[in-house]
Amino acid sequence: MITTVTLNAAIDKTYSVKSFEMDRVSRVTDMIAVPGGKGINVARVARLLGEPVTAAGFVAGFNGQFIRSGLDTEGISHDFTEVPGESRLCLTVLDADNGTQTELLEPGPVIAENSLLTLKEKVKELAGRSTHVCFSGSLPLGCPPSLYAELITLAREAGAEAVLDASGDALAAGLEAMPLLIKPNEHEIVRLLGRPASSDDDLAACIRELMQRGIRHVVVSLGARGALAGSSGRVRRVAIPAIRAVNPVGSGDAMVAGMVTALRQGRSDADVVRFGAACGSANALQKQAGVVTDEDVERIFRDITVTDY
Ligand code: ADP
């Protein structure tokens, strides 16, 4: 199976409001609340693609119960580590009249040392039953920046390949453990290497550098421009068709789910990124983050070209 690890799981709540104004009372016309966090989105897409998947990580309090029961309703297996406190509520206020999107993100629980030990045992156990473990998103308060590196090493020792989709210090420190695949976007790879990348040539040089460090798949996603993907020493351009994007939030997570699914199916390096990009674009066609349909994925896949860069 695939295991996804979301250390800062959340309730993603979206309010639709007419003419949202600061310092005024606004009436919510529509509300949707779903389990969220990058790894949970990966799990949702992997399940929709037909893969056996378990979502893990930390949950806390009433919000944690909501996350678990929401995953039950969606039919997504989960095995979270319960910690004291309250899981995050991430609130998005959509104002269709003005086209604005305002986000309020709670910090989430502070993780104590004993909870870290419990999580490590859990990751070891789940990795022993998984082909791939995907680590996605930010580290909650209380977690050392080295945590992803430790978890990646544990997962590999238990027999699973590790995928890391994080940013900032968590990504930089996690790379030390040589995950199989990383999927930074443009901003994340620039920050990681600490130098500007003003052209695709610069990005390709960054990808080559990371492959030389020993990361087999370095996929830089470029939103509506597709991706530049490095695999086994070769860099490829992934050109995607134009689509009418509805909501690209979660497209990176859908891309990760697609790539892991394709890796499990033993597809070629070029088809791994092609399928991943198809899932990312299919996600952008849906209102909810982390949702794709087989028909969209297959149609977009056919229209994607992958060429040597
Ligand atoms: P992240 O969410 O991690 O920043 P991206 O926004 O780069 O990731 O999206 C990942 C993939 O999803 C892209 O490589 C592309 O295939 C697809 N995608 C994202 N946004 C769009 C869009 N507006 N139109 C078409 N495809 C998109």
Side-chain angles (χ1 to χ4, degrees):
M1 67 174 179
I2 299 168
T3 293
T4 70
V5 178
T6 313
L7 299 176
N8 222 345
I11 298 178
D12 280 342
K13 187 178 266 197
T14 305
Y15 284 163
S16 300
V17 172
K18 276 192 198 313
S19 305
F20 179 64
E21 270 186 81
M22 299 295 285
D23 216 18
R24 291 273 183 281
V25 173
S26 298
R27 295 214 179 268
V28 174
T29 53
D30 191 29
M31 190 281 282
I32 164 169
V34 291
K38 288 171 70 66
I40 286 179
N41 290 339
V42 174
R44 183 175 286 125
V45 173
R47 195 195 73 89
L48 289 170
L49 294 172
E51 296 298 306
V53 62
T54 297
F58 292 122
V59 290
F62 286 114
N63 289 349
Q65 279 177 28
F66 177 97
I67 291 167
R68 282 184 159 135
S69 73
L71 291 173
D72 287 339
T73 307
E74 291 186 58
I76 299 170
S77 304
H78 55 86
D79 195 348
F80 281 93
T81 300
E82 179 87 34
V83 295
E86 196 62 59
S87 286
R88 304 188 290 167
L89 178 76
C90 295
L91 183 63
T92 302
V93 182
L94 287 181
D95 176 347
D97 292 354
N98 297 315
T100 59
Q101 180 168 329
T102 308
E103 289 184 43
L104 293 169
L105 312 180
E106 293 182 4
V110 180
I111 309 299
E113 189 63 37
N114 62 337
S115 302
L116 285 174
L117 293 176
T118 312
L119 176 88
K120 286 175 192 170
E121 285 306 312
K122 180 57 69 189
V123 166
K124 226 191 271 183
E125 179 204 322
L126 291 169
R129 294 188 275 130
S130 303
T131 57
H132 295 79
V133 182
C134 300
F135 299 96
S136 305
S138 58
L139 297 176
L141 297 168
C143 294
S146 61
L147 183 60
Y148 276 140
E150 292 175 52
L151 294 175
I152 288 166
T153 304
L154 285 177
R156 190 180 308 113
E157 283 169 2
E161 299 280 11
V163 172
L164 177 62
D165 185 11
S167 57
D169 292 345
L171 171 60
L175 284 189
E176 300 291 320
M178 299 295 166
L180 175 76
L181 185 154
I182 59 172
K183 193 223 67 64
N185 62 26
E186 219 169 336
H187 310 291
E188 288 160 353
I189 197 165
V190 163
R191 197 167 152 210
L192 177 66
L193 292 179
R195 59 168 191 260
S198 52
S199 66
D200 286 352
D201 281 354
D202 292 345
L203 286 175
C206 294
I207 291 171
R208 289 200 174 92
E209 184 178 326
L210 290 167
M211 284 195 291
Q212 268 157 16
R213 281 197 213 168
I215 316 286
R216 174 139 182 228
H217 302 276
V218 180
V219 181
V220 176
S221 64
L222 303 170
R225 289 209 303 124
L228 275 182
S231 290
S232 314
R234 278 167 72 174
V235 179
R236 298 179 175 93
R237 177 182 294 288
V238 184
I240 60 173
I243 57 159
R244 269 175 210 267
V246 176
N247 178 15
V249 172
S251 283
D253 307 327
M255 187 177 200
V256 167
M259 290 191 292
V260 172
T261 298
L263 283 169
R264 274 167 57 83
Q265 294 168 351
R267 295 206 195 186
S268 67
D269 287 345
D271 272 0
V272 165
V273 287
R274 190 174 168 201
F275 192 70
C279 292
S281 293
N283 172 84
L285 291 173
Q286 303 287 329
K287 246 177 156 178
Q288 193 193 330
V291 174
V292 300
T293 68
D294 284 337
E295 301 75 52
D296 285 341
V297 173
E298 275 165 35
R299 193 188 63 251
I300 297 168
F301 179 84
R302 283 196 294 272
D303 288 342
I304 293 177
T305 56
V306 179
T307 46
D308 277 331
Y309 183 79

